[in-house]
Each structure stands twice: as structure tokens, then as C-alpha cells.
Amino acid sequence: MLQIDPIQLGTLEIEHDVWIPYIDLYDAEFLPTRIKVANDEYAFQRSAPVLGYGAFLPADIRAARSAGKKPIIVEREDRYYLFLTPP
């Protein structure tokens, strides 16, 4: 599990007025399957290309939030990775 300092977080607008916590791990040696930010643990769910994510990623994030999960996006190279907390 990779520990992320909350000060490293930014935000990413995935749709008009829809913002999500975001971290850039472009230079990371590997992409973890689990990350921890403060007291929240997140597990990898799916990835999407940075160009072209709009077809499904916003809907996935809305569904996760409706289910009581917290989303976070990790960017690495040319992909976005969606991580979610458990409900």
C-alpha cells in the first residue's frame, strides 16, 4: 500500500462542476493497487486514457458516490486510474 501525503492532492474536473481528488504519480516506479490518504484507504477499480475518459469515468464516479464510496483519481503516464474506498 502506498501512503500519500494529503498535501500532494489536487483536484480534477471530470465534468462541468464535478470535481474529484487527484494525485499525479507520473514518476512513480510502479502503480499500487491500494493507496492510503490520511485515514482513508482506496483500492484500484479501473483505468481510462487521459484523452477519452468521458465515455464512462464520470458515470462510474457518480455511481460510486451514490453507493457511499469516496473516489480518487491517480494519473500515471497517459492514463487515469480510479481508486475507491469501501462503502
Side-chain angles (χ1 to χ4, degrees):
M1 181 175 315
L2 179 63
Q3 181 79 32
I4 303 292
D5 187 339
I7 201 159
Q8 293 177 280
L9 289 179
T11 55
L12 178 67
E13 184 176 20
I14 57 161
E15 278 188 324
H16 178 68
D17 293 334
V18 178
W19 296 85
I20 185 168
Y22 162 88
I23 182 101
D24 183 351
L25 292 180
Y26 189 83
D27 294 330
E29 293 180 24
F30 67 96
L31 183 70
T33 57
R34 300 186 63 80
I35 59 175
K36 185 171 183 177
V37 180
N39 293 325
D40 292 322
E41 291 186 17
Y42 299 81
F44 171 75
Q45 298 299 307
R46 73 178 307 169
S47 72
V50 169
L51 300 175
Y53 68 86
F56 55 87
L57 198 55
D60 287 354
I61 291 169
R62 281 192 301 277
R65 286 180 170 162
S66 294
K69 299 177 181 183
K70 295 180 188 177
I72 191 169
I73 291 288
V74 172
E75 182 176 359
R76 184 163 186 269
E77 297 177 357
D78 61 346
R79 298 196 68 81
Y80 287 144
Y81 298 86
L82 175 62
F83 286 75
L84 300 174
T85 60

